[in-house]
Amino acid sequence: MVTLSPVVQAYAWGSRTALPDLCGTTSPAPHPVAEYWFGAHDSGSSLCSDGRSLDARIAEDPETELGRRVLDEHGGSLPYLVKLLSAEQALSLQAHPSPERAREGYAAEDARGIPVDAADRNYRDRNHKPEILVALTEFHALVGFRPVDRTLALLDALDVPALRPYRDMLEGQPDAEGVRAVFTTFVTMPHTALADIVSDLITAAVGYLTSEGVDGHWASEATTVVELAERYPTDPGVLGALLLNRVVLQPGEAIYLGPGHMHAYLRGVGVEVMANSDNVLRGGLTPKHVDVPELMRVLEFSPLRDPRVRPVPAGRGIGTEVDFPTPAPDFALSRIDLEPGAEPVSYRPVGPEVLLCTSGTVRVGQDSTSETLGPGRAAWLPASTPVVTLESSDGASVFRTRVGDGESAARRP
């Protein structure tokens, strides 16, 4: 067992205070801090307390670190990546590929001679990128295409004349086909026409928010439109956002994103676990590379009625442990809540695990050694770990990430 120092990602959409506050740092960071990575990704591997990077440690003795099952099923690399994420501004409108499309896209870009680190490269690895996010604070996101009947109600409430043809296009076809047609039109629209529609949309959204007698049912959606348009006045993502579920998570609630589901995180702090991939197809709300034809190949246009993942009791006798079930084979995520001063709990890891503390302090013991983790600190448990013991004097929450074994998918509600 070793502790992990995170790879710090200072993206512009991050916060100077949220992650430092969570970790108990009194001073704001000198720049926006968006993510702490705990894992062995090619773009940034955590540093272990024994002085080695985690990817180097795994490469030196993969069977001890990963175990035979993970080696057989996933090869010689850790199949998941754990993040602490803090968004103060909207992330790009994006989706991730299926495993098959990731392999095909990677090979095609290699054949065209595009360097793997090029700014206009879509596929930086051959892997898919399913992901789950569990909120630590109130968390706002756009997640999956909204059921068409509800999108029609939103467009009727805003009542933008320039959007009426697209409303009719949406209503006049089967749901997925209508969504595909309208979204395709939005993301391929000339900027001059787009700017005019966005301007009208802002006027309508502000009017909706300030009108007397309006029930305000769509206030969050209208506010999001205004906020996105102020930052990206000629970006098709502003119109694309009209088609997506706007979700507000309370602490402890979660969302799961499988291949092809369009999404954009808006603001909040959460724990994110994903397959060990950096493949992102963007559709807007970003100055980064946008490849509309490739995005259209991966998108899932069927409406997503409910993107939430509901925690279920784990039933493994490890304190108060709840699972966040997903169909992803690359990872399984649970949260262990330890009561102040309660009896220690012990268990045998079933493979390589990352334990991430998000509140309180937890003593993690293995044999005669132990480490104390505070908020924002993580430990690596190799597959060879016989037994680990957790205890907390002040109460703690610990997220436990391991490789999926099919049990989590089977238990998903």
Side-chain angles (χ1 to χ4, degrees):
M1 180 184 67
V2 291
T3 58
L4 299 175
S5 297
V7 178
V8 179
Q9 302 290 6
Y11 306 140
W13 47 263
S15 166
R16 295 179 63 235
T17 59
L19 292 184
D21 284 351
L22 184 144
C23 298
T25 304
T26 56
S27 301
H31 43 66
V33 176
E35 296 175 344
Y36 289 169
W37 289 14
F38 300 93
H41 195 277
D42 289 345
S43 298
S45 178
S46 297
L47 183 66
C48 302
S49 54
D50 64 4
R52 292 176 289 177
S53 65
L54 182 56
D55 58 352
R57 180 182 168 117
I58 291 171
E60 288 171 13
D61 191 352
E63 185 157 1
T64 295
E65 299 296 319
L66 299 180
R68 175 47 53 189
R69 179 180 74 88
V70 175
L71 283 176
D72 291 343
E73 295 179 3
H74 299 278
S77 59
L78 184 66
Y80 61 75
L81 177 63
V82 181
K83 297 181 181 180
L84 274 174
L85 180 147
S86 171
E88 195 166 78
Q89 300 176 357
L91 282 69
S92 60
L93 201 62
Q94 60 186 262
H96 309 301
S98 66
E100 297 77 17
R101 187 59 209 155
R103 290 191 292 269
E104 292 168 1
Y106 187 92
E109 291 187 326
D110 262 8
R112 297 202 301 271
I114 304 174
V116 73
D117 59 351
D120 60 347
R121 175 107 183 192
N122 294 313
Y123 296 95
R124 301 185 185 279
D125 52 65
R126 299 176 178 85
N127 203 9
H128 65 162
K129 193 184 175 186
E131 59 188 49
I132 185 171
L133 183 136
V134 183
L136 297 179
T137 67
E138 186 174 273
F139 198 96
H140 296 246
L142 300 171
V143 186
F145 288 110
R146 186 190 298 108
V148 168
D149 59 336
R150 297 185 61 239
T151 297
L152 293 173
L154 169 62
L155 295 176
D156 288 342
L158 296 178
D159 194 23
V160 182
L163 287 175
R164 288 173 191 162
Y166 309 108
R167 183 222 179 273
D168 295 343
M169 185 187 302
L170 193 62
E171 187 178 37
Q173 303 183 60
D175 286 0
E177 294 178 22
V179 172
R180 177 191 291 272
V182 173
F183 184 79
T184 302
T185 304
F186 284 166
V187 296
T188 57
M189 188 177 292
H191 277 196
T192 52
L194 182 66
D196 290 341
I197 295 179
V198 169
S199 178
D200 292 346
L201 177 59
I202 293 173
T203 301
V206 171
Y208 175 84
L209 292 168
T210 57
S211 294
E212 295 183 6
V214 174
D215 63 9
H217 179 76
W218 300 105
S220 293
E221 287 79 1
T223 300
T224 297
V225 163
V226 173
E227 292 173 346
L228 295 178
E230 286 177 347
R231 190 173 179 201
Y232 299 104
T234 61
D235 194 301
V238 177
L239 298 185
L242 289 170
L243 305 175
L244 301 178
N245 292 298
R246 194 188 185 289
V247 176
V248 181
L249 301 176
Q250 299 305 315
E253 295 183 333
I255 49 177
Y256 172 74
L257 292 155
H261 286 298
M262 183 67 80
H263 61 283
Y265 297 150
L266 300 175
R267 61 181 178 274
V269 178
V271 172
E272 188 180 31
V273 180
M274 62 188 61
N276 196 21
S277 173
D278 198 25
N279 288 328
V280 179
L281 286 305
R282 300 177 184 87
L285 307 181
T286 179
K288 294 183 178 180
H289 177 59
V290 173
D291 185 338
V292 170
E294 187 59 30
L295 175 67
M296 300 303 288
R297 290 188 183 96
V298 308
L299 276 183
E300 172 56 65
F301 289 99
S302 297
L304 183 62
R305 189 162 292 277
D306 187 3
R308 296 172 187 265
V309 176
R310 288 163 178 80
V312 295
R316 287 184 286 268
I318 306 173
T320 305
E321 185 181 21
V322 294
D323 284 335
F324 296 90
T326 79
D330 311 79
F331 59 82
L333 178 65
S334 61
R335 189 188 67 236
I336 301 170
D337 295 317
L338 301 169
E339 296 296 325
E343 288 294 314
V345 296
S346 299
Y347 71 92
R348 182 184 181 90
V350 294
E353 295 190 5
V354 171
L355 297 181
L356 172 62
C357 180
T358 58
S359 69
T361 56
V362 57
R363 180 180 173 274
V364 183
Q366 178 200 340
D367 296 330
S368 59
T369 64
S370 67
E371 295 283 355
T372 298
L373 305 180
R377 294 197 66 204
W380 167 253
L381 306 180
S384 58
T385 304
V387 175
V388 64
T389 300
L390 309 178
E391 61 179 319
S392 176
S393 60
D394 57 350
S397 290
V398 182
F399 283 86
R400 176 189 177 205
T401 304
R402 55 206 182 277
V403 180
D405 58 6
E407 176 187 0
S408 183
R411 299 178 69 221
R412 189 177 188 194

